[in-house]
Every structure is written in structure tokens, then in C-alpha cells.
Amino acid sequence: MKVTHLGGPTALVEVAGWRILTDPTFDPPGRRYTFGWGTASRKVAGPALPATDLGDIDVVLLSHDHHADNLDDAGRAVLPSAGAVVTTKSGARRLGAENVRGLLPWASTVLEAPGKPSLNVTATPCRHGPPLSRPIVGDVVGFALTWEGGPDGQFWMTGDTVLYPEVRAVPERIDVDTMLLHLGAVQFGITGPLRYSMTGEEGIRLIELAQPRIAVPVHFEGWSHFHEPQDHLRATFDAASDDVRSRVRWLEPGVPTDLA
């Protein structure tokens, strides 16, 4: 498995001949984006590589389509050329394209391509905010992947979520080999102390539960609504147990990294 972190939640994952892009965000920095209900954020850093440098994409794993820090305009332009886009049920209705598949949590789809092993994609639960926030923040999912000849455990992209019981229970249902861990402690001034994604401390607790071989932090830089940047997160993880520290892999943006 090779992973290239491109910035924010966006990563290129290459496994068994599949080229998988997560939450495409390729707009340049500077623009302010509104997220609804008075919330907004400014993009403060661009991608490590432009979308045009990536080549063909077989699959886009889109945790949700309605927030620009997970799908911005340049990222949206990538979707039509992808072999398949897997996202939420509501997102699939909004996108309305033939190559888009929508999943509810714990539903699965199988992707096929010539010369590649079948790729099984299962949506995992997320709650992108405090209790009772789903009607406001919308549907979000993570993804668990398996393929013939792959590791014993699964690749798990957590998606944008806080740490709540349904996410804590994911490791009870799947064995995790590699985790793409969405962090950032997202907050907005208008909603005060309420958070919409995991903190580093919560990420540590999830690693302790899931026991992945490797955990790759993403979704913590590049936008003004992220409140735990990399230096803060590194200090948090450096203070964790030896077991947790041994599992965390920080990726240099734009550099393909072999996680085998």
C-alpha cells in the first residue's frame, strides 16, 4: 500500500492496482467558504500536488459532498472522470451522476475493474458534530476497504466525525490494518466550544481501541476552522504511550509513502 497525503483530508491510496482518492480538495488558498447556519472557513493552504498531476483515478471515496473542506470546486471537477465515486446516500442523490454510488452506514458495494482484484467498500458510521447535530451538519460516512490478496485487516478511512459510541464500536466489527484518521478539532466561532471532528486525544483513544498496524493523521491543516494543527497534534501523540506512538505515521505532503 502506498499513500500520498495531498493536504486536508485528501490522500491518494494505491493498493493492488487500484488508485483511490479520498475527499478531493484542490482549490488554491485564499477563498472563504460558507458551510451553512452561519459557519464559514477560509482555505489557508493549497494542495501539495494539483489534481492534474495525479493521473487516472479509479475510485473516489467521498465522506460527504456538502462541505468544501471535503469537496471543493476543483475536487468536484475530478469526479466525472473517476471510475466510481462512493459517498453517502444523500450525497449520491445530490451529485446525480451515473458513476456515483451512495451507501448508508454498514452497507457495502463491490467495485470491479479489469486486471484488478475486486474491491469491497463498506460505509462506516460518522457523526460530524455534537449530539442531535445530524439534521444540521448532514450525513457523513467513513469507509472500510478489503480486497483479495490484501492484509488480514481492513483499510479504514474514519471520515469527519467526533468520537462517539458508533465510531468506538467500529473496531468491534472490523479488524483494522491501516487507518486514515481524520482529526483537526473543528470549531466555529458562532457555535463556541462545540466540536465537529476529533481532537488528538480522541484520536489516541480510537487508536487504542482499533489497534491498527499504522494510523495516518489527516484533516488537520489547510483551513481556518481546524483548531489542532500539526505541531499541536505531534506534541499530543508524543505524549501518548509507546504502543500508540509506534503506530502513528506522519506523511510528508505530496510524497508517496509505502505503508507495507
Side-chain angles (χ1 to χ4, degrees):
M1 176 185 295
K2 187 180 295 182
V3 177
T4 308
H5 185 203
L6 300 170
T10 310
L12 177 65
V13 181
E14 298 173 85
V15 294
W18 290 93
R19 306 186 80 250
I20 303 163
L21 187 65
T22 70
D23 282 352
T25 54
F26 292 100
D27 282 359
R31 180 175 162 189
R32 182 178 180 270
Y33 299 78
T34 58
F35 296 152
W37 297 86
T39 61
S41 181
R42 187 172 299 279
K43 191 167 188 181
V44 297
L49 297 171
T52 52
D53 284 6
L54 299 184
D56 293 339
I57 300 299
D58 298 307
V59 184
V60 173
L61 299 178
L62 180 59
S63 65
H64 56 304
D65 68 301
H66 53 282
H67 292 158
D69 61 323
N70 296 84
L71 182 68
D72 58 18
D73 289 346
R76 195 174 292 267
V78 172
L79 302 186
S81 63
V85 178
V86 188
T87 189
T88 62
K89 276 283 191 181
S90 57
R93 289 194 295 269
R94 284 188 291 268
L95 293 171
E98 291 186 0
N99 68 334
V100 179
R101 306 185 189 192
L103 297 178
L104 295 172
W106 295 118
S108 298
T109 189
V110 177
L111 304 177
E112 308 276 0
K116 300 179 178 66
S118 298
L119 188 68
N120 188 83
V121 182
T122 300
T124 59
C126 291
R127 195 184 74 206
H128 197 6
L132 306 179
S133 64
R134 197 180 307 274
I136 297 173
V137 300
D139 296 328
V140 182
V141 291
F143 298 99
L145 276 58
T146 59
W147 57 94
E148 185 178 352
D152 292 336
Q154 301 192 33
F155 173 89
W156 181 28
M157 169 187 163
T158 66
D160 288 9
T161 185
V162 294
L163 187 62
Y164 76 116
E166 289 188 45
V167 167
R168 290 190 185 95
V170 170
E172 298 174 6
R173 298 185 61 163
I174 66 172
D175 292 325
V176 182
D177 174 76
T178 305
M179 178 193 293
L180 206 63
L181 182 62
H182 287 217
L183 299 171
V186 166
Q187 290 180 297
F188 300 97
I190 195 169
T191 54
L194 298 179
R195 284 189 299 97
Y196 300 87
S197 67
M198 282 187 283
T199 65
E201 292 287 353
E202 289 172 327
I204 288 170
R205 292 201 290 275
L206 189 55
I207 290 171
E208 290 171 340
L209 289 170
Q211 294 287 291
R213 180 176 60 88
I214 294 174
V216 177
V218 298
H219 191 265
F220 55 80
E221 41 67 50
W223 294 79
S224 63
H225 63 316
F226 292 152
H227 280 70
E228 288 189 353
Q230 185 169 352
D231 56 351
H232 178 101
L233 287 171
R234 280 184 176 269
T236 300
F237 280 101
D238 284 347
S241 67
D242 290 345
D243 179 70
V244 168
R245 290 200 307 272
S246 70
R247 300 174 191 273
V248 176
R249 185 79 61 87
W250 297 95
L251 303 188
E252 183 178 347
V255 177
T257 303
D258 190 349
L259 300 182

